[in-house]
Amino acid sequence: MDKQPVILFINSHEPDYLQDICYSGLAETLGSERIIDLPWNPHFHVKARLYPRNLGLYSGSTISSIKQRFKKSQYDAVIVGSAKPLCLEAYFKIVKKIPAPIPVIFIDGGDWPEIGGDLKRLKAWDLYQEVIKTRPFDIIFKREYLETVEYPGNVYPLPFGFNYHRLPVNISEAPLKYQVSFWAVESNPLRTKALDILQNKFDCRENGTVRKQVFSKYHRKGKKYLEELAACRIVINMPGVGWDTLRYWEVPAVGRLLISPRPKIVIPDNFIDRQEIVFCRDDLSDLLDLCSYYLEHESEREIIAKAGAVKARLKHSNISRARQIIDIIGKTIK
């Protein structure tokens, strides 16, 4: 491919973390004038939502995005941005009008390991089957790309990442207020087990690392949530409905030490254990010992955290995710 592609980016207005991370990364990498969002998504262009629902925001793109709507039939590739019914419905309306040589790419950021599997949960599996029957996707990017599953050759792993434009200014200067935190709803039995282990240890109960947390009652939201993460010496991560979580990327991004079970999905350029992150055992039998050790060994903790921050910015930003997509599209476009 001799030039950067123009991309028709079909999307859902509902927040979808991987869709949004990819859009903002593509807009910044290619220029918003090379991305046509269909339908036009105000949340990509106008500041209205708090973090993390604003991961797709690319400031200053409103005028160029509106101009691009007049060129919506001129594109080099089509991206179907999420495994959401509204997104698939928008794609299905135009699928027969897409010229055969134009590659169509599906970004499946859902929790289910099966390709398009979230559409079963969302009662839209028939729609997905009709879509792929009409025209199979040329390239698929899969968030929950399990290590134990052999996916077709046109499927590539693409986990979440971090949009550094959402990082509060001077976050690295945040004073350390907490020892160990795990602020999470119990969407996975492993989360419940971790909270049972932690809630009466260190300063966990005082900082809100307890059972029965409810997202709607969180007082740490938006930018404040990231500032509070940066105030922790150690942050715990556990899988939710899927292995991949935003917290896995947020904590290195704010420069703190993350302790987590090793995700059982394929993550290109993943963090290295004891160098950029700390992996605990799958049964959490060493979780308390690891927390105690790294609270006690401050210098070692901070060296690992800083290395993780460097790796996250270099390999796991929204820009990094966009470049992965562009590189693979470039091999497809003739």
Side-chain angles (χ1 to χ4, degrees):
M1 183 174 57
D2 297 327
K3 63 181 180 65
Q4 297 284 38
V6 174
I7 293 174
L8 181 64
F9 194 95
I10 301 170
N11 66 92
S12 170
H13 286 195
E14 305 161 277
D16 182 284
Y17 297 149
L18 190 56
Q19 166 193 274
D20 297 349
I21 286 166
C22 291
Y23 175 83
S24 62
L26 288 165
E28 187 166 352
T29 303
L30 298 174
S32 57
E33 71 277 3
R34 305 192 75 80
I35 311 292
I36 307 164
D37 44 313
L38 181 72
W40 188 78
N41 190 334
H43 303 293
F44 289 165
H45 312 291
V46 181
K47 186 177 180 179
R49 288 171 168 166
L50 296 177
Y51 181 86
R53 295 161 67 89
N54 62 357
L55 287 166
L57 176 65
Y58 183 62
S59 298
S61 62
T62 305
I63 294 175
S64 61
S65 69
I66 292 172
K67 285 181 178 178
Q68 279 299 91
R69 291 185 60 75
F70 297 103
K71 303 177 182 178
K72 58 185 179 182
S73 62
Q74 302 171 30
Y75 49 81
D76 302 301
V78 176
I79 290 180
V80 180
S82 75
K84 295 281 178 66
L86 289 176
C87 187
L88 269 291
E89 288 169 7
Y91 170 60
F92 196 50
K93 287 178 182 177
I94 68 162
V95 62
K96 293 181 180 179
K97 299 177 183 177
I98 300 171
I102 299 293
V104 179
I105 297 93
F106 178 37
I107 297 177
D108 182 358
D111 289 317
W112 286 33
E114 183 179 0
I115 295 170
D118 264 33
L119 289 154
K120 288 184 176 179
R121 174 178 61 84
L122 297 169
K123 311 300 182 187
W125 187 245
D126 288 345
L127 170 63
Y128 177 72
Q129 292 297 308
E130 189 66 22
V131 163
I132 60 175
K133 178 182 176 182
T134 303
R135 176 169 176 169
F137 294 114
D138 299 291
I139 300 168
I140 297 170
F141 291 101
K142 180 69 181 155
R143 169 183 157 231
E144 288 292 303
Y145 190 113
L146 294 186
E147 296 174 333
T148 55
V149 173
E150 187 173 342
Y151 292 94
N154 67 330
V155 181
Y156 301 86
L158 193 77
F160 292 147
F162 190 79
N163 182 342
Y164 280 83
H165 290 292
R166 306 287 84 86
L167 201 63
V169 177
N170 300 324
I171 192 77
S172 61
E173 300 172 14
L176 294 175
K177 299 189 292 185
Y178 311 116
Q179 294 177 327
V180 178
S181 77
F182 182 41
W183 304 317
V185 296
E186 294 170 53
S187 56
N188 186 305
L190 205 59
R191 291 187 171 194
T192 300
K193 183 175 182 178
L195 289 167
D196 278 334
I197 290 169
L198 290 166
Q199 65 181 355
N200 292 314
K201 303 294 183 181
F202 314 112
D203 63 345
C204 289
R205 186 164 290 279
E206 291 77 10
N207 71 42
T209 299
V210 293
R211 292 282 311 277
K212 309 298 182 185
Q213 297 176 52
V214 180
F215 181 77
S216 62
K217 296 182 179 179
Y218 279 10
H219 66 275
R220 298 178 174 100
K221 293 183 178 180
K223 183 173 74 171
K224 182 179 179 181
Y225 166 71
L226 294 173
E227 291 171 341
E228 288 283 88
L229 278 186
C232 302
R233 291 169 175 82
I234 295 171
V235 180
I236 307 301
N237 175 70
M238 295 287 149
V241 180
W243 279 102
D244 194 18
T245 66
L246 279 184
R247 186 179 287 108
Y248 191 79
W249 311 103
E250 292 165 339
V251 179
V254 302
R256 308 315 315 151
L257 180 71
L258 184 68
I259 297 179
S260 172
R262 186 180 66 80
K264 302 303 186 291
I265 56 174
V266 177
I267 298 178
D269 297 306
N270 198 6
F271 300 108
I272 300 171
D273 186 27
R274 302 305 198 274
Q275 294 182 33
E276 299 156 341
I277 196 175
V278 173
F279 290 134
C280 63
R281 295 176 187 145
D282 292 345
D283 63 3
L284 311 188
S285 59
D286 60 348
L287 183 59
L288 288 180
D289 288 341
L290 288 171
C291 291
S292 296
Y293 179 86
Y294 286 106
L295 285 174
E296 203 174 306
H297 295 80
E298 179 180 359
S299 176
E300 189 174 348
R301 181 187 75 230
E302 294 307 306
I303 288 171
I304 295 172
K306 287 177 182 177
V310 170
K311 178 73 157 286
R313 187 176 282 272
L314 182 65
K315 296 291 187 180
H316 300 299
S317 68
N318 59 333
I319 302 297
S320 302
R321 298 294 179 257
R323 286 173 179 159
Q324 290 174 261
I325 293 170
I326 293 166
D327 286 348
I328 291 171
I329 290 176
K331 296 173 184 176
T332 305
I333 296 176
K334 305 301 183 184

